[in-house]
Amino acid sequence: MTKKDRFSGIIGWFSENMPVAGTELHYETPFQLLVAVILSAQCTDRRVNMTTPEIFRHFPDPQTLAAASFEELFPYVQSISYPNSKTRHLIAMAQKLIDDFGGEVPSGIDELMSLPGVGRKTANVIASIVYDKPVIAVDTHVFRVSHRLGLSGGRTPEAVEKDLEAGIPEDKRAVAHHWLILQGRYICTARNPKCGECGLVQWCREHTAKDKTEQ
């Protein structure tokens, strides 16, 4: 089976069985999504969603967050992984949003990556969800699922991103990002993947290799 066949089959299956997919993070504005995505690094969406309501209640916009001190914000962030650095990043991010972008979340990847706490993955998430840019954000779930399915053999997130963007049509990239995340979060888990519940096994490189070994 060629990689092109895998992409075609997998995209077709998701399009039929999961036509609508989106982020599980709760937010109301682009700024709130940016805060939530920064907090979600190496942390579950569930934990972030438990934490952000109080953050958004006290710091609903860049202006209030930029004016906050570390001591004021930290108690609302402390249940999240790496709370010290994330608290500093959030305040600095809000300040830079005001100073450089008039308090608006920018749409460009490079502009987003200029914000404290924002790497390529976070920038791609924001660009995809908020601005419908045809980019793929590669987190640990997307990285793992892409390798297991045989969609990429890239050794870095950037390499996997290039492979996925080469194989997925532009109009499918925004939703495909969520397809792969949800697949990795609930089916193709890091430990004990639920292959018996997976609709993608006929295109899965790892499953095919396992079958050949067992024959």
Side-chain angles (χ1 to χ4, degrees):
M1 184 185 303
T2 67
K3 185 182 290 188
K4 184 177 180 180
D5 291 333
R6 293 184 195 279
F7 271 109
S8 178
I10 290 166
I11 291 171
W13 187 90
F14 275 124
S15 296
E16 181 176 347
N17 293 277
M18 197 188 297
V20 178
T23 181
E24 293 186 313
L25 292 171
H26 299 164
Y27 70 98
E28 294 183 357
T29 67
F31 169 73
Q32 290 185 355
L33 178 62
L34 179 55
V35 170
V37 177
I38 290 173
L39 290 173
S40 73
Q42 297 182 299
C43 186
T44 66
D45 286 2
R46 181 175 178 272
R47 168 55 61 183
V48 172
N49 288 335
M50 292 171 61
T51 303
T52 49
E54 281 300 296
I55 295 176
F56 297 156
R57 187 167 75 87
H58 289 85
F59 313 101
D61 50 44
Q63 289 74 20
T64 51
L65 186 57
S69 67
F70 179 93
E71 290 73 22
E72 290 171 328
L73 178 59
F74 181 79
Y76 304 106
V77 181
Q78 62 182 343
S79 65
I80 296 286
S81 58
Y82 305 103
N84 291 296
S85 60
K86 288 181 180 179
T87 298
R88 296 188 183 94
H89 284 155
L90 288 177
I91 295 171
M93 175 273 291
Q95 292 170 344
K96 191 170 180 66
L97 270 186
I98 294 172
D99 292 343
D100 293 2
F101 304 106
E104 299 294 325
V105 176
S107 62
I109 299 297
D110 290 339
E111 293 172 316
L112 285 163
M113 289 179 64
S114 74
L115 299 170
V118 177
R120 187 169 187 84
K121 185 210 76 173
T122 297
N124 281 355
V125 170
I126 301 300
S128 173
I129 295 175
V130 176
Y131 298 107
D132 202 29
K133 295 288 185 72
V135 294
I136 299 285
V138 178
D139 66 357
T140 56
H141 295 302
V142 175
F143 191 90
R144 178 177 66 256
V145 172
S146 297
H147 278 78
R148 285 180 175 173
L149 291 176
L151 300 179
S152 176
R155 296 185 177 182
T156 65
E158 290 77 13
V160 173
E161 178 185 331
K162 289 182 179 179
D163 286 340
L164 294 177
E165 291 184 357
I168 299 173
E170 285 193 6
D171 65 332
K172 294 290 187 182
R173 289 177 192 168
V175 69
H177 159 68
H178 298 296
W179 286 339
L180 295 172
I181 285 179
L182 295 173
Q183 185 73 8
R185 186 172 290 163
Y186 298 112
I187 301 296
C188 194
T189 51
R191 297 181 181 179
N192 302 316
K194 303 171 184 176
C195 298
E197 301 177 25
C198 181
L200 304 176
V201 290
Q202 61 183 303
W203 301 287
C204 179
R205 180 176 61 187
E206 188 162 304
H207 191 270
T208 301
K210 181 180 179 182
D211 282 348
K212 289 182 178 178
T213 300
E214 293 176 348
Q215 288 177 357

